[in-house]
Amino acid sequence: MQLFIKRFLDILVSLILLILILPLWVILVVIIETTSPGRAIFMQKRTGLHGRTFVCYKFRTMYLNKEADTLQATCSDKRITRIGGFLRRTSMDELPQLFNVLKGDMSLIGPRPHMLKHTELYSQLIPNYMERHRMRPGLTGYAQIKGLRGETSELKQMQNRVEADLFYVEHFSLGLDMKILWITAMKVLTLKL
């Protein structure tokens, strides 16, 4: 029953948010496409529920490059555009994933989806890594509210993130989802731009 309610809330909240952010969406598309060549929406294959591959949508934050699907972004990455840096700091680059939520590829709350290269690599290095795919990936998750986001230059950083993801999978409840959503909202609203 909790999973049914979770899916219902995913659809309802993502529809409401997509309607509310439509003007912002149009502005961001224009800015992204006029400040650097390429489409505003970046599509990347990621690992989802039960290890299935899906196409994840994001606002493009980098100049077009051949390493987008294999090389993780770093803090001082030269591939990141000026508007892209702003979108990443505010997490607005993730807004197109509301469509992934509507389609059922993602949820509002769950382990963040990793690019296929990372799934291939870390599933060999971290025990129980694939267990994180027992839940739909999320726009935000338990690992993110614990500060375990961004670049993972050391294996331990990804191990900590996976441990948090596995904690979420094992302890899922609507109450935990509400807590994660609340903390995420507070973090976004208090960002220093």
Side-chain angles (χ1 to χ4, degrees), residues 90-146:
T90 59
S91 297
M92 284 197 289
D93 59 324
E94 313 290 356
L95 290 175
Q97 288 167 32
L98 290 168
F99 279 113
N100 288 115
V101 174
L102 272 181
K103 286 173 58 182
D105 295 327
M106 291 180 67
S107 177
L108 294 171
I109 310 296
R112 287 290 299 148
H114 293 164
M115 62 179 156
L116 300 184
K117 182 81 172 172
H118 276 173
T119 299
E120 181 184 327
L121 173 66
Y122 292 120
S123 63
Q124 303 298 316
L125 299 174
I126 301 174
N128 301 318
Y129 175 89
M130 294 303 288
E131 291 297 308
R132 64 192 300 279
H133 300 117
R134 287 175 28 212
M135 296 288 288
R136 278 189 179 92
L139 278 169
T140 187
Y142 189 72
Q144 285 63 48
I145 66 165
K146 293 294 183 184

Side-chain angles (χ1 to χ4, degrees), residues 140-148 176 179-181 183-184 187:
T140 187
Y142 189 72
Q144 285 63 48
I145 66 165
K146 293 294 183 184
L148 303 169
L176 181 57
K179 177 182 176 181
I180 293 168
L181 200 57
I183 293 171
T184 299
K187 284 183 179 246

Side-chain angles (χ1 to χ4, degrees), residues 33-49:
E33 291 189 354
T34 55
T35 56
S36 65
R39 291 182 173 175
I41 302 297
F42 173 69
M43 295 180 282
Q44 184 179 64
K45 290 181 179 176
R46 303 246 177 137
T47 309
L49 184 63

